[in-house]
Amino acid sequence: PSDGGAIVVKNISMVSPDHAKFSLGLRPEKCLEGEGIFKQWFYFEVQNAPIGAQLEFSIEDAGVSTFNDWNGYKTCMLLDRDEWIRVKETEFKDGVLSWKVTASSNLISFSYFPPYSLERQVNLVHSTAAAGICSHVVLGQSEEGRDLHALVFDKHLDASLPHYHVVWIQHRQHPGETSASWFCEGVLSRLTEMSSSPSALLKNCVIIVVPNVNPDGGVRGHLRTNAKGANLNRCWGGTFHGLENVAGQTNPKAVEVEAMVRGMKAMDGVDLMMDVHQDEEKPYVFISKSPLGCPSCTPEIKAMREKFESILQSRSPDFLTPGPVEPVGYPVPDPGKANLSICSASVAEAFPGCLSMTMEHPYKGNVNRGGEFVEGFTIDQCRG
């Protein structure tokens, strides 16, 4: 596919007229960090497949991918151009990710996670803006000139308030973490519903929703980088805090991050920031602990975060789901040692008192939840 496609075809062998084997590789993407490349995301189509044909696929280099714990992962397959399902016959063994299917269509798509096209995102932005419930602004352009859209929900703000809160929700810094875009659909759907009978949230807060921080990377079929190879979630320290030539900071500055920072500063600060991501190896939803290591982190911030997590856990069965895989997320940085190149930590330090968080969704199924949810995280789970 021209939008988001990525795979390397090494060999196709015909065992018989109705039995084909595909030897594949992950397509590397340039990255400006020490590794030099990332490779993880895949999305491709099989065309002219005979109905009923046996198709076998092997990604030979999965064991040396950027995040190489594929245990429990099931490949995504598109049925009838409408429904994404998981291929139960997916296996990771001896460093090879393999699966097999019987062709039910002449055109079959497979992907690491259900992709989210730029066209769909633009349609979402336009339809939401056309409803008259928010303002549409362009924060800037990407490296390749694509607009960085934002939807500002401020039409129900109580003008008599001496102070209002600024909430910033952004998605797809890492373009291959497409669950963020499906999550954004859920966010905008909920805000649309709330706008019909304005709640205390909309009366007290300005909510800025950025559907896609990295459109170039998405179109190019990248997992983590923009058109120049920058990992945007390692570019915030230079723009916000002047960090250069330090471990974890990507240089040069990324225009997409600079646009986000200008937008945040234009709001005279941020009170709550949610940066939505996806973790390749953990099977549950969690919030990164990186901002807890910021020099400015206070007991009040920790208490707000604990309350937020407690409420979210009571409402979402996928958040920190207890079970055989302990839901611990990422480790807590030592006090004062947060990586300020990461968005949530950088924003927390730039705006003291801000509850700044990175939400991580899984690609894999939630084994702690059990049942049908073991196969893989779904679009419906993303939307909430």
Side-chain angles (χ1 to χ4, degrees):
S2 59
D3 187 341
I7 199 66
V8 175
V9 179
K10 296 183 176 181
N11 185 57
I12 303 175
S13 61
M14 299 301 299
V15 179
S16 69
D18 59 357
H19 186 184
K21 292 185 177 182
F22 299 78
S23 177
L24 309 171
L26 296 167
R27 193 186 71 188
E29 65 191 75
K30 174 186 175 182
C31 108
L32 299 176
E33 297 178 65
E35 302 95 315
I37 63 167
F38 288 126
K39 59 177 185 178
Q40 190 90 21
W41 172 261
F42 64 89
Y43 173 32
F44 64 93
E45 293 179 345
V46 177
Q47 302 174 353
N48 302 316
I51 301 296
Q54 301 300 305
L55 309 177
E56 298 183 29
F57 304 87
S58 297
I59 296 182
E60 308 291 343
D61 57 351
V64 291
S65 60
T66 302
F67 303 97
N68 59 13
D69 180 5
W70 296 82
N71 292 298
Y73 170 80
K74 306 296 183 185
T75 300
C76 299
M77 178 173 72
L78 180 61
L79 287 181
D80 302 323
R81 311 300 297 168
D82 182 50
E83 179 187 5
W84 284 94
I85 66 169
R86 296 290 179 144
V87 180
K88 294 182 179 180
E89 295 78 15
T90 303
E91 180 183 39
F92 180 58
K93 184 178 180 181
D94 299 328
V96 177
L97 183 73
S98 59
W99 67 93
K100 53 186 177 181
V101 300
T102 300
S104 59
S105 169
N106 299 124
L107 179 63
I108 311 172
S109 297
F110 299 96
S111 187
Y112 184 34
F113 197 80
Y116 199 96
S117 70
L118 186 61
E119 180 183 17
R120 185 180 182 111
Q121 176 221 300
V122 171
N123 288 342
L124 176 66
V125 168
H126 282 248
S127 63
T128 306
I133 57 175
C134 62
S135 303
H136 168 252
V137 298
V138 175
L139 297 171
Q141 280 72 40
S142 67
E143 286 285 357
E144 294 184 320
R146 296 182 173 93
D147 287 340
L148 303 176
H149 300 279
L151 295 168
V152 182
F153 290 80
D154 60 356
K155 293 187 178 297
H156 298 292
L157 193 66
D158 186 345
S160 67
L161 292 174
H163 174 74
Y164 59 85
H165 299 290
V166 176
V167 177
W168 185 283
I169 309 172
Q170 65 180 35
H171 312 77
R172 298 282 294 280
Q173 277 207 87
H174 290 159
E177 297 173 4
T178 54
S179 72
S181 285
W182 298 109
F183 176 85
C184 184
E185 281 196 0
V187 169
L188 292 177
S189 175
R190 183 68 180 124
L191 288 172
T192 299
E193 292 173 5
M194 295 172 68
S195 295
S196 63
S197 179
S199 66
L201 178 68
L202 293 178
K203 292 178 180 178
N204 287 272
C205 299
V206 173
I207 303 175
I208 301 98
V209 180
V210 183
N212 192 344
V213 182
N214 193 349
D216 298 349
V219 171
R220 286 168 164 258
H222 289 184
L223 174 75
R224 289 170 75 82
T225 62
N226 72 354
K228 286 192 173 181
N231 175 354
L232 299 189
N233 203 30
R234 298 297 183 275
C235 293
W236 291 73
T239 301
F240 253 144
H241 307 288
L243 300 182
E244 294 183 7
N245 302 317
V246 297
Q249 172 62 34
T250 298
N251 293 309
K253 296 176 182 177
V255 294
E256 296 90 348
V257 172
E258 291 187 313
M260 296 302 109
V261 170
R262 284 197 304 271
M264 290 179 181
K265 289 182 176 179
M267 297 303 300
D268 294 324
V270 180
D271 296 297
L272 186 148
M273 195 284 299
M274 179 67 76
D275 187 24
V276 187
H277 285 256
Q278 196 167 9
D279 182 88
E280 291 76 7
E281 298 176 335
K282 293 176 174 54
Y284 47 80
V285 179
F286 65 99
I287 293 175
S288 168
K289 302 179 182 72
S290 181
L292 297 179
C294 287
S296 63
C297 186
T298 64
E300 290 76 17
I301 289 290
K302 293 179 181 178
M304 281 195 293
R305 178 192 167 102
E306 289 174 3
K307 183 177 181 180
F308 183 94
E309 289 191 339
S310 176
I311 294 172
L312 183 56
Q313 190 167 24
S314 71
R315 297 182 179 181
S316 170
D318 291 304
F319 184 70
L320 294 178
T321 314
V325 179
E326 188 177 3
V328 294
Y330 302 147
V332 181
D334 291 335
K337 299 297 183 181
N339 182 354
L340 297 184
S341 300
I342 294 174
C343 174
S344 58
S346 188
V347 171
E349 193 64 18
F351 303 110
C354 172
L355 178 59
S356 183
M357 297 174 285
T358 304
M359 176 180 283
E360 298 277 358
H361 300 159
Y363 288 89
K364 298 179 181 180
N366 191 340
V367 296
N368 288 354
R369 193 172 174 187
E372 63 185 288
F373 303 102
V374 171
E375 299 298 333
F377 204 56
T378 68
I379 290 173
D380 285 344
Q381 285 172 283
C382 295
R383 289 176 176 144

